[in-house]
């Protein structure tokens, strides 16, 4: 799994517009999802700067397949790891502003972003995906 931090989103939005992956906004605890456009990525990103340390309630899934998932964030992550879906990525709001991107294979929009070197999804841990991502980056403010 490839995990990066993004403090800008132009390359993510460009990728979404050019490749047209199916984009979904999902609640971190699962349930129904909402199909979204690339413009919704911009709104999601802008909202992260107002989290003030709170965890996001939603995350974004992009993939090349239409899968009727209504999974929580952890199950989405685990399923993607198991299936190694082509074109799959997740965007998770950072609680200090910005986004994390997580992908099975390196994505073009991850080039030039900050790689999360300490993120090790293969290590057994009680921590959640979100806690692992947040714990691997220094506060921005």
């Amino acid at each position: 799994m490839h995990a990066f931090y993004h403090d800008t989103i132009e390359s993510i939005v460009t990728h979404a517009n050019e490749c047209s992956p199916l984009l979904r906004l999902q609640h971190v605890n699962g349930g129904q999802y909402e199909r979204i456009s690339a413009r919704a990525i911009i709104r999601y990103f802008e909202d992260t700067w107002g989290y003030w340390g709170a965890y996001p309630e939603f995350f974004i899934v992009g993939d090349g397949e239409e899968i009727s998932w209504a999974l929580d964030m952890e199950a989405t992550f685990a399923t993607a790891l198991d299936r190694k879906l082509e074109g799959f990525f997740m965007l998770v709001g950072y609680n200090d502003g910005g986004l994390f991107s997580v992908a099975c294979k390196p994505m073009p929009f991850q080039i030039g972003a900050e790689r999360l070197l300490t993120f090790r999804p293969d290590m057994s841990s009680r921590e959640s995906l979100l806690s692992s991502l947040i714990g691997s980056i220094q506060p921005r403010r």
Side-chain angles (χ1 to χ4, degrees), residues 31-97:
Q32 296 298 319
Y33 61 84
E34 174 187 347
R35 289 187 66 167
I36 59 171
S37 68
R39 285 184 307 225
I41 296 172
I42 297 168
R43 287 191 302 274
Y44 183 79
F45 174 77
E46 290 170 348
D47 288 348
T48 68
W49 300 99
Y51 285 177
W52 294 94
Y55 288 143
E57 292 183 35
F58 299 92
F59 66 105
I60 294 174
V61 173
D63 60 39
E65 300 180 32
E66 185 167 347
I67 299 173
S68 294
W69 289 354
L71 304 175
D72 65 32
M73 189 165 60
E74 300 299 324
T76 300
F77 176 68
T79 301
L81 273 178
D82 289 343
R83 295 177 67 185
K84 295 181 180 28
L85 300 171
E86 188 69 33
F88 170 88
F89 63 91
M90 291 171 54
L91 301 175
V92 181
Y94 177 40
N95 66 352
D96 202 24

Side-chain angles (χ1 to χ4, degrees), residues 8 38 45 64 70 89 94 105 107 112 121 130:
T8 63
F45 174 77
F89 63 91
Y94 177 40
K105 297 179 181 176
M107 300 298 290
L130 183 57

Side-chain angles (χ1 to χ4, degrees), residues 75-132:
T76 300
F77 176 68
T79 301
L81 273 178
D82 289 343
R83 295 177 67 185
K84 295 181 180 28
L85 300 171
E86 188 69 33
F88 170 88
F89 63 91
M90 291 171 54
L91 301 175
V92 181
Y94 177 40
N95 66 352
D96 202 24
L99 293 178
F100 296 112
S101 68
V102 180
C104 295
K105 297 179 181 176
M107 300 298 290
F109 60 79
Q110 291 177 318
I111 295 170
E114 182 179 341
R115 186 174 201 37
L116 302 179
L117 298 175
T118 59
F119 179 63
R120 296 275 316 272
D122 58 319
M123 294 174 62
S124 59
S125 171
R126 291 183 173 171
E127 293 184 327
S128 70
L129 169 64
L130 183 57
S131 296
S132 296

